């Protein structure tokens, strides 16, 4: 009798297991393999693609490769028949001019103006005098501005330093931003900041100042750019500062010495002809999200859309990096996620051709501009091809090809982030898919809004979550090659890349075929909805 009971229990258990797994889901998952992963990633992360920078040749090549794949497997182009969703994006540079007594100074050698401080309108001014105001300090026992009327003046100050004996030789003369705010509040015409680091400008600062600011032309951004110009701030090196002081027969060193010896300010008007201007320059950037659409098979459910995303862009070439390898191939970040999307799309396309397609529609979308600030996914969330109200979930894949130091002993894991932030249903479905099909360790240590790394806010899923759409973010953690040329295909764990992609696939299968979409039962702050 005990033996018969044990046999019956075993049969029932086997039956439950069979029910938990969908044979069709398993059958069409077989194309998600390490070999197919290598096929795609060896192209996307090759040197030929130059790090897939947004708005650059390598990025366009990657977009074309993804489009060709979507087309070849039978996905539809949902953007008026095309696979590209163009993003209205521009590069803003800054044209800067400074002349002293009619002699032009050289940008990035003699002076610079921070591009982010220049509005669309820009600025231009000229003056016949500059007010030298020492260290720009206003504190008990010492005031560089005592008795001075600052309104309408062009004021020149040291970026740092303090003349008091207790601070002699220390670089602690107050925060430069606070100094600038004080002068701005007092309605000065412009601020000139004496910054000795310009005399031997670090490469990273020079590269930043030379780089263009990539901006999407959304209404919010355009309104911000068109806002009023703040107080112009010009940073000058010591040679340029001494040119300005020349008419007063003073030098920086002489004035510093005088202030130090007397303990009193040496503020004074300098008669000098000075002109300055700065304005934005605009250049159109080709950038696009790549979308492939698989229509659902159920007439009642096909208007609901599951969105699966990864970003195909990376950071391109960094010329100042040490060593010969200057191409940031981005094999893991996020060539691995993009590869995952391509394989998952292929699996679902094969299922549809065999008459086993998903009931709901699926949008496979690789986005650009993630490394510039989640730009591509933000553009889609502002200008969606399918209504956000019909979007049931976003499954986002960003780095699934490697691991991190915390899992060095066992790479059979993936971090999941956001799955329970908005929907208990989605959390349950995602974890059940792992238990039924994949059986890897799901690490949730970063699955909170107060994580100091802020991973929940740092990839493309967030531009869906902020609109109340449930999300799961799949991630293998940060490694030593993060945003470095060492993020190469040779370091990819292809079996684990395929296994993690299968987890996303099986989760998508359950979502796309479920009787109901995941219920959003939590608010953005994590509290339960009534």
């Amino acid at each position: 009798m005990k033996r018969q009971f044990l046999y019956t229990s075993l049969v029932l258990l086997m039956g439950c297991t069979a029910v938990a797994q969908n044979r069709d889901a398993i059958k069409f998952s077989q194309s998600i393999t390490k070999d197919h992963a290598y096929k795609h990633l060896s192209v996307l992360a090759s040197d030929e693609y130059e790090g897939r920078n947004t708005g650059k040749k390598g990025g366009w090549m990657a977009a074309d490769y993804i489009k060709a794949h979507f087309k070849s497997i039978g996905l539809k182009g949902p953007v008026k028949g095309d696979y590209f969703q163009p993003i209205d994006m521009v590069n803003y540079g800054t044209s800067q001019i400074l002349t002293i007594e009619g002699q032009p100074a050289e940008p990035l050698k003699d002076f610079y103006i921070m591009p982010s401080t220049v509005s669309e309108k820009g600025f231009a001014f000229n003056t016949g005098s500059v007010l030298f105001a020492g260290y720009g300090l206003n504190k008990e026992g010492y005031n560089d501005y005592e008795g001075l009327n600052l309104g309408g003046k062009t004021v020149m100050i040291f970026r740092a330093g303090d003349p008091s004996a207790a601070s002699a030789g220390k670089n602690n003369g107050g925060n430069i931003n606070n100094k600038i705010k004080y002068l701005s509040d007092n309605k000065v015409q412009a601020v000139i900041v004496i910054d000795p680091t310009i005399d031997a400008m670090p490469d990273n600062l020079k590269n930043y100042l030379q780089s263009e600011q990539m901006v999407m032309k959304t209404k919010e951004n355009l309104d911000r750019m068109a806002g009023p110009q703040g107080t112009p701030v010009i940073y000058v090196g010591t040679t340029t500062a001494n040119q300005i002081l020349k008419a007063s027969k003073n030098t920086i060193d002489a004035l510093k010495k005088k202030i130090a010896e007397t303990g009193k300010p040496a503020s004074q008007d300098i008669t000098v002809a000075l002109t300055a201007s700065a304005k934005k320059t605009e250049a159109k950037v080709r950038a696009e999200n790549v979308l492939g659409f698989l229509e659902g098979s159920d007439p009642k459910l096909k208007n609901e859309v599951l969105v699966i995303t990864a970003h195909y862009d990376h950071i391109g070439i960094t010329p100042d990096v040490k060593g010969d390898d200057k191409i940031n191939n981005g094999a893991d970040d996020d060539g691995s996620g993009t590869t995952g999307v391509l394989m998952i799309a292929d699996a679902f396309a094969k299922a549809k051709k065999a008459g086993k397609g998903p009931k709901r529609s699926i949008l496979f979308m690789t986005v650009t501009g993630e490394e510039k600030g989640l730009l591509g996914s933000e553009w889609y969330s502002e200008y969606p091809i399918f209504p956000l109200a019909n979007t049931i979930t976003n499954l986002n894949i960003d780095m699934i090809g490697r691991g991190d130091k915390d899992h060095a002993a066992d790479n059979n894991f993936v971090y999941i982030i956001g799955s329970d932030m908005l929907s208990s249903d989605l959390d349950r479905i995602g974890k059940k898919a792992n238990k039924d099909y994949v059986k890897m360790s799901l690490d949730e240590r970063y699955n909170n809004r107060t994580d100091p790394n802020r991973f929940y806010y740092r990839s493309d899923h967030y531009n869906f979550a902020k609109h109340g759409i449930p999300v799961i973010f799949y991630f293998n953690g940060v490694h030593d090659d993060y945003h470095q040329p060492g993020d190469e295909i040779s370091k990819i764990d292809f079996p684990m890349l395929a296994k993690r992609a299968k987890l996303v696939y099986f989760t998508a299968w359950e979502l796309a075929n479920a009787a109901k979409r995941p219920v959003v039962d939590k608010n953005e702050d994590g509290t339960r909805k009534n």
Side-chain angles (χ1 to χ4, degrees):
M1 186 173 177
K2 289 181 180 179
R3 184 176 300 173
Q4 178 62 34
F5 175 77
L6 180 62
Y7 173 77
T8 303
S9 299
L10 182 59
V11 170
L12 288 172
L13 179 61
M14 290 174 66
C16 289
T17 302
V19 172
Q21 290 186 332
N22 183 292
R23 290 182 180 179
D24 290 330
I26 294 172
K27 175 181 177 181
F28 296 106
S29 73
Q30 300 308 308
S31 63
I32 303 174
T33 66
K34 62 183 180 64
D35 292 334
H36 285 152
Y38 182 84
K39 172 188 171 184
H40 291 303
L41 193 54
S42 63
V43 175
L44 293 169
S46 65
D47 284 354
E48 184 182 3
Y49 278 53
E50 299 180 349
R52 307 187 305 277
N53 206 347
T54 301
K56 301 294 184 182
K57 172 188 171 184
W60 304 331
M61 292 172 68
D64 289 338
Y65 179 88
I66 297 162
K67 173 181 175 178
H69 176 74
F70 284 166
K71 188 175 181 178
S72 72
I73 63 176
L75 299 187
K76 301 299 182 183
V79 189
K80 298 179 181 178
D82 197 2
Y83 297 85
F84 286 166
Q85 181 190 30
I87 299 171
D88 193 358
M89 194 177 293
V90 296
N91 273 332
Y92 283 116
T94 309
S95 172
Q96 308 180 11
I97 296 174
L98 173 67
T99 68
I100 303 161
E101 295 292 348
Q103 297 299 309
E106 185 176 339
L108 304 185
K109 178 183 177 184
D110 303 321
F111 78 100
Y112 71 84
I113 299 166
M114 194 69 74
S116 59
T117 66
V118 181
S119 75
E120 189 175 39
K121 296 176 181 177
F123 69 81
F125 71 89
N126 62 78
T127 183
S129 67
V130 171
L131 173 60
F132 171 75
Y135 293 94
L137 297 175
N138 179 7
K139 62 179 186 176
E140 185 177 354
Y142 183 90
N143 183 1
D144 281 308
Y145 303 121
E146 186 173 0
L148 299 178
N149 179 14
L150 300 176
K153 297 288 184 70
T154 296
V155 180
M156 183 165 72
I157 59 174
F158 296 122
R159 178 167 188 156
D162 191 319
S164 64
S167 303
K170 294 183 180 179
N171 189 28
N172 62 346
N175 184 290
I176 186 59
N177 293 325
N178 293 337
K179 294 179 183 182
I180 291 169
K181 184 179 185 303
Y182 177 85
L183 291 169
S184 182
D185 290 345
N186 279 274
K187 311 298 183 185
V188 301
Q189 176 178 241
V191 181
I192 298 174
V193 178
I194 304 169
D195 184 0
T197 62
I198 295 177
D199 301 337
M201 187 179 291
D203 287 339
N204 60 342
L205 175 58
K206 184 175 288 188
N207 289 335
Y208 169 73
L209 294 170
Q210 288 177 320
S211 65
E212 295 171 315
Q213 180 187 11
M214 191 169 286
V215 177
M216 293 189 305
K217 297 186 79 170
T218 60
K219 184 179 184 303
E220 180 182 353
N221 285 339
L222 291 175
D223 288 345
R224 176 177 54 81
M225 297 290 291
Q229 172 65 49
T231 302
V233 180
I234 304 168
Y235 292 81
V236 301
T238 54
T239 300
T240 306
N242 283 331
Q243 276 184 274
I244 296 171
L245 292 168
K246 185 177 180 180
S248 67
K249 298 181 180 179
N250 270 309
T251 65
I252 289 174
D253 290 341
L255 288 168
K256 281 185 175 180
K257 182 179 179 182
K258 181 179 180 180
I259 295 170
E261 288 176 348
T262 64
K264 296 180 180 179
S267 303
Q268 56 189 280
D269 275 309
I270 313 295
T271 300
V272 59
L274 185 146
T275 65
S277 65
K279 64 179 181 179
K280 292 287 189 189
T281 60
E282 179 179 310
K284 176 70 177 174
V285 176
R286 175 194 158 184
E288 57 266 318
N289 297 326
V290 191
L291 285 63
F293 182 65
L294 190 75
E295 187 176 39
S297 61
D298 189 325
K300 295 181 180 179
L301 296 177
K302 68 180 183 179
N303 287 333
E304 295 183 351
V305 182
L306 168 65
V307 180
I308 303 178
T309 55
H311 72 91
Y312 69 86
D313 66 299
H314 195 52
I315 62 173
I317 300 171
T318 45
D320 59 332
V321 72
K322 293 181 179 179
D324 295 330
D325 187 3
K326 302 182 185 303
I327 298 176
N328 298 279
N329 299 85
D332 192 28
D333 185 14
D334 186 27
S336 64
T338 301
T339 294
V341 172
L342 299 184
M343 292 193 295
I344 295 166
D346 185 42
F348 274 103
K350 283 182 168 65
K352 182 168 184 177
K353 288 176 183 176
K356 303 292 184 178
K359 295 178 181 179
R360 290 182 176 82
S361 298
I362 304 179
L363 177 64
F364 300 94
M365 180 167 65
T366 59
V367 298
T368 191
E370 191 271 355
E371 302 290 4
K372 310 294 184 183
L374 313 186
L375 300 185
S377 55
E378 180 184 354
W379 184 264
Y380 182 86
S381 73
E382 295 296 326
Y383 306 99
I385 302 303
F386 301 98
L388 295 184
N390 293 359
T391 302
I392 67 163
T393 294
N394 169 232
L395 303 179
N396 181 48
I397 317 171
D398 193 348
M399 300 171 61
I400 56 166
R402 292 180 62 171
D404 62 10
K405 292 178 180 177
D406 290 334
H407 298 85
D410 184 2
N411 203 31
N412 184 39
F413 86 101
V414 70
Y415 292 110
I416 58 169
I417 300 171
S419 69
D420 64 348
M421 295 287 196
L422 296 171
S423 172
S424 301
D425 276 351
L426 178 60
D427 188 54
R428 175 184 54 78
I429 291 167
K431 290 174 179 174
K432 185 174 186 300
N434 178 63
K435 181 180 179 182
D436 290 346
Y437 297 101
V438 183
K439 296 179 175 59
M440 74 171 69
S441 173
L442 302 181
D443 193 324
E444 297 185 79
R445 73 183 67 185
Y446 300 128
N447 183 40
N448 63 77
R449 293 176 176 83
T450 58
D451 163 36
N453 298 286
R454 293 181 59 81
F455 288 133
Y456 177 60
Y457 304 96
R458 284 175 52 185
S459 192
D460 295 296
H461 59 277
Y462 183 67
N463 280 320
F464 290 88
K466 73 182 185 183
H467 289 284
I469 297 169
V471 302
I472 305 179
F473 169 29
Y474 301 88
F475 174 54
N476 60 216
V478 176
H479 42 70
D480 289 341
D481 296 312
Y482 177 69
H483 282 196
Q484 300 292 329
D487 186 5
E488 298 271 10
I489 191 170
S490 60
K491 299 177 182 177
I492 295 295
D493 182 343
F494 282 99
M496 276 310 303
L497 192 164
K499 189 172 185 179
R500 290 166 182 151
K502 281 189 176 183
L503 173 59
V504 182
Y505 162 82
F506 285 119
T507 304
W509 187 282
E510 297 300 321
L511 289 166
N513 290 292
K516 296 180 180 180
R517 63 190 287 174
V519 174
V520 178
D521 57 359
K522 296 182 182 180
N523 299 305
E524 172 55 28
D525 62 1
T527 59
R528 285 275 181 180
K529 287 181 177 287
N530 294 329

